[in-house]
Amino acid sequence: MGGGDGELVKKIRRRRPDIPRTIEPGCSNARLEAFSNRIKVTIRMAYGFHRVTNLTALIMLRCSGLDIRLPQPTI
């Protein structure tokens, strides 16, 4: 065991009541992390937008779950 084990034990003791609450429902924060990542990517895509409202609209569109595809040319 390394030197940081004492800190880990302190964190576990401090969060002991939270651990079962997180595990029992069978939920994770994966969906929240996915939305957070999607928003970060959208902000990077929107670099250069002149208005925040345009960025907000793009984030809402991308996070809405709509499957919007551009028309594809037929060959």
Side-chain angles (χ1 to χ4, degrees):
M1 300 237 163
D5 293 332
E7 290 179 31
L8 180 61
V9 170
K10 287 179 186 177
K11 285 181 184 179
I12 291 174
R13 275 198 196 118
R14 190 175 70 233
R15 294 294 182 183
R16 182 174 228 120
D18 299 331
I19 293 171
R21 281 192 294 237
T22 304
I23 296 170
E24 284 172 4
C27 297
S28 71
N29 66 341
R31 182 169 285 171
L32 180 62
E33 291 293 329
F35 273 112
S36 177
N37 187 42
R38 188 174 290 170
I39 290 170
K40 287 178 186 177
V41 169
T42 305
I43 289 171
R44 272 188 257 134
M45 282 176 38
Y47 181 75
F49 277 18
H50 294 285
R51 295 190 181 2
V52 175
T53 54
N54 293 342
L55 171 62
T56 305
L58 183 60
I59 289 172
M60 291 174 67
L61 183 64
R62 291 206 58 207
C63 293
S64 69
L66 292 175
D67 187 23
I68 298 174
R69 296 177 190 254
L70 295 174
Q72 298 292 323
T74 56
I75 298 177

